[in-house]
Amino acid sequence: MVEHRITDWDNAYANGANIAGGDRWPAAWDGPAQAFREKLSAQGRARLDIVYGEAPRSRFDLFVPPNAPKGLVVFIHGGYWMESHKNSWSHLAAGAVGRGFAVAMPSYTLCPRTRISGIVNEVAAAIGKAAAMVDGPLMLTGHSAGGHLASRMVAEASPLASDVARRTRKVVSISGLHDLRPLMFTALNETLNIDEREALSESPALLRPRQGVRITCWVGGGERSEFLRQSALLANIWTGLGAATDSVIEPDRHHFDVVDGLADPDHPLTRTLVDE
């Protein structure tokens, strides 16, 4: 018999400290992201800092293909709901833009200035504003905390407007955190302030999926076991609740480079997100 038990919750959710050279991130993303913004801005295919709300960080960037978009992708950044900014992730729009889709990348207010439930509502507002600017099907994706936010949008109790929810064709949650309860045992919660009530109301794995949801839970094979478990958890539970689910473990990827495929139009991650 093998007993599975977590005794160090902080280590279970510590990414950089458990990746060789992990201190390179998130700074390693900044240069490629800036280069991508400058390139598309020079081509007239980037609209930066579009306002979607009153908070200082309620802004998103919109990147568009050369021709009329086939639809809209929204990428939601991670950082445990308390770090990062849209400007570190711009280059990850390249894959979907290369396949003919517009891509919106929002920032949002970070904890502890707001709660996770507040971020959920901000992200819904960003998606609604972007969806009003681009016709066609809508696909949502996000990394880590962003994976939580993307999947939270397609729960039965979604904060999305009904017309936007109906346009949502697919979600890809990359290394997503789908059950918030374990994070209450970590030092992260000194900032996040998750309580039992919020964990129950904002954890996608504890909610029902909206009818017709298609979701892929994508995770790197080299990630912390908790991220592998969190990814499998949502796919397992939502399959039993009628959603069309996929669970993908990408070999030889850790928590930071697992998103790299989004920069490549031909990578399976991009194709999973935008291809029918």
Side-chain angles (χ1 to χ4, degrees):
M1 182 180 73
V2 178
E3 181 181 63
H4 298 279
R5 183 181 181 188
I6 297 172
T7 58
D8 187 342
W9 288 98
D10 289 318
N11 186 55
Y13 283 92
N15 290 301
N18 288 289
I19 296 170
D23 57 352
R24 292 177 50 223
W25 288 274
W29 290 314
D30 291 341
Q34 181 177 349
F36 182 82
R37 284 196 306 279
E38 291 175 351
K39 176 183 175 182
L40 264 69
S41 293
Q43 296 173 358
R45 296 198 286 124
R47 291 187 59 185
L48 306 180
D49 293 319
I50 298 169
V51 176
Y52 70 83
E54 296 182 0
R57 289 175 57 96
S58 295
R59 308 284 188 273
F60 68 86
D61 296 338
L62 183 67
F63 305 105
V64 299
N67 301 313
K70 298 177 181 178
L72 174 67
V73 168
V74 179
F75 174 88
I76 308 162
H77 74 75
Y80 278 126
W81 306 274
M82 60 185 187
E83 295 176 344
S84 199
H85 189 275
K86 62 182 174 59
N87 289 358
S88 294
W89 308 82
S90 311
H91 59 297
L92 299 182
V97 169
R99 297 196 74 80
F101 287 78
V103 178
M105 292 192 161
S107 286
Y108 46 82
T109 303
L110 301 175
C111 297
R113 294 186 67 87
T114 189
R115 301 185 65 92
I116 289 176
S117 54
I119 296 174
V120 167
N121 289 325
E122 283 191 31
V123 168
I127 294 170
K129 178 72 176 279
M133 300 172 65
V134 180
D135 293 331
L138 173 62
M139 276 69 76
L140 307 178
T141 187
H143 174 244
S144 197
H148 159 268
L149 294 165
S151 52
R152 178 66 183 83
M153 294 299 122
V154 292
E156 195 173 71
S158 173
L160 292 178
S162 58
D163 59 326
V164 177
R166 284 193 296 271
R167 285 176 56 188
T168 305
R169 297 288 184 266
K170 191 184 301 184
V171 173
V172 177
S173 176
I174 306 168
S175 305
L177 293 161
H178 305 123
D179 182 356
L180 301 181
R181 292 173 298 178
L183 296 166
M184 294 167 63
F185 302 126
T186 71
L188 296 167
N189 211 37
E190 295 172 9
T191 300
L192 299 176
N193 294 311
I194 303 167
D195 56 25
E196 189 75 11
R197 180 177 179 178
E198 185 170 52
L200 294 175
S201 67
E202 301 301 338
S203 295
L206 306 180
L207 303 174
R208 288 186 170 275
R210 184 175 53 80
Q211 186 175 4
V213 164
R214 297 168 58 195
I215 187 165
T216 297
C217 297
W218 190 290
V219 68
E223 298 211 44
R224 307 297 290 153
S225 61
E226 268 297 270
F227 284 87
L228 290 160
R229 187 189 67 81
Q230 287 261 6
S231 187
L233 178 69
L234 185 65
N236 188 329
I237 291 176
W238 276 18
T239 296
L241 296 175
T245 70
D246 245 337
S247 184
V248 177
I249 300 175
E250 185 177 1
D252 304 318
R253 294 286 185 175
H254 56 62
H255 188 72
F256 298 132
D257 65 7
V258 69
V259 295
D260 289 353
L262 289 177
D264 179 358
D266 295 317
H267 192 279
L269 179 54
T270 299
R271 297 185 70 97
T272 295
L273 178 61
V274 301
D275 288 358
E276 290 298 325

